[in-house]
Amino acid sequence: MKIAIIASEFGEAAQAAKVLRSRYKAVPTSEADVIVALGGDGFMLQTLHTYMGQNVPIFGMNKGTVGFLMNEYQDDDLIARIGQAERFTLHPLRMRATRCDGEIVEYLAVNEVSLLRETRQAAKIRIAIDGKVRLPELVGDGVLVATPAGSTAYNLSAHGPIIPMGADLLALTPLSAFRPRRWRGALLPSSVNVELTVIHPQKRPVSAVADMHEVRDVRHVFIEEARDVSLNLLFDAEHSLAERIFTEQFES
């Protein structure tokens, strides 16, 4: 098995990578069967985007802050751990955002696509699912659509639901909703498309963000699951991503 070892430049990750490279023969990422990524969830997100087209599984080890998408760091028996790891396939969201000037910008999001107000004025957003308007006007800071992998990130902080892996669901979660005041969002089948239309975009400017990619001054955003793109993560059998999501729901 040929492995590549990459690391975040922050914290202890770089030193940990040096230790691993002294113990295991590493190859360039272009030649690797598996990429070993050292850092936190932010670095894992960056890694997934960087190597999205390479179709190489990624085994992450936590040398960051959160590490929800990472395995525990150990420098012993790395090859054996990778060989015994469980593979989990993720499909990102495809965001197609239309700016007020007519430009169309497309990005993929592993965690979530979020619409956020740019100024002191609340955003007004119309929500349609598969072409049918479900909410004529949401007034607030914005709204997001999260994948199961992203449901424990920004979505959870916004009081959205945690989605178990394999549920084929997306979370549609409002951000500080003012109207309708009691609307808490919705769970959607992953097969649907979501259209978010900004009402009065010049007066109430809104940005669209797909993970770390921001598009400012949008008037319309189309979101769907990118079934043609597969991302493969490897997890120790006793620390699978599905189990972590399950455990998260029972932590105090």
Side-chain angles (χ1 to χ4, degrees):
M1 180 190 302
K2 294 184 290 185
I3 64 170
I5 299 171
I6 61 174
S8 168
E9 60 185 25
F10 302 103
E12 302 174 353
Q15 180 58 37
K18 187 179 297 186
V19 171
L20 291 181
R21 291 188 184 109
S22 69
R23 298 193 59 178
Y24 305 95
K25 182 179 179 180
V27 300
T29 55
S30 59
E31 302 174 12
D33 298 315
V34 175
I35 295 174
V36 176
L38 306 176
D41 282 347
F43 184 68
M44 174 58 83
L45 199 62
Q46 177 184 328
T47 300
L48 288 169
H49 278 276
T50 300
Y51 301 101
M52 194 168 285
Q54 197 163 314
N55 198 30
V56 177
I58 298 172
F59 184 86
M61 289 198 288
N62 189 26
K63 276 296 179 178
T65 304
V66 180
F68 183 80
L69 296 174
M70 314 298 275
N71 297 287
E72 180 183 355
Y73 175 81
Q74 295 176 3
D75 52 30
D76 294 327
D77 302 319
L78 177 59
I79 303 301
R81 285 177 70 191
I82 294 173
Q84 296 168 8
E86 295 181 352
R87 180 184 296 236
F88 200 90
T89 300
L90 305 175
H91 298 291
L93 297 174
R94 178 174 283 110
M95 177 191 81
R96 188 164 66 247
T98 303
R99 301 180 69 247
C100 291
D101 61 8
E103 180 187 7
I104 298 176
V105 183
E106 186 174 299
Y107 286 114
L108 295 175
V110 177
N111 276 358
E112 76 278 317
V113 173
S114 54
L115 268 64
L116 307 167
R117 66 185 176 110
E118 295 179 6
T119 68
R120 59 182 175 78
Q121 289 192 301
K124 289 188 176 183
I125 299 169
R126 180 179 301 114
I127 300 174
I129 310 297
D130 283 342
K132 182 175 182 177
V133 175
R134 294 292 183 177
L135 193 60
E137 185 177 272
L138 170 67
V139 183
D141 284 351
V143 66
L144 64 81
V145 178
T147 66
S151 67
T152 57
Y154 190 9
N155 173 71
L156 182 59
S157 298
H159 307 291
I162 295 175
I163 304 175
M165 288 297 163
D168 290 328
L169 294 172
L170 302 174
L172 176 65
T173 302
L175 303 174
S176 302
F178 181 68
R179 291 285 189 274
R181 195 179 295 274
R182 295 183 182 277
W183 188 62
R184 301 303 183 194
L187 285 172
L188 308 175
S190 60
S191 59
V192 304
N193 61 67
V194 180
E195 291 185 77
L196 305 173
T197 302
V198 180
I199 302 171
H200 308 308
Q202 282 81 15
K203 180 182 179 183
R204 300 172 182 271
V206 168
S207 290
V209 183
D211 288 346
M212 71 284 290
H213 301 292
E214 180 181 12
V215 183
R216 294 184 67 82
D217 303 329
V218 300
R219 58 180 172 85
H220 181 268
V221 175
F222 182 91
I223 303 164
E224 63 181 351
E225 190 176 61
R227 298 294 299 181
D228 58 319
V229 181
S230 296
L231 306 172
N232 297 302
L233 297 180
L234 299 176
F235 291 96
D236 292 324
E238 67 274 19
H239 295 295
S240 71
L241 184 55
E243 176 62 25
R244 291 181 185 208
I245 288 179
F246 209 176
T247 302
E248 186 78 22
Q249 297 178 84
F250 291 92
E251 290 189 347
S252 58

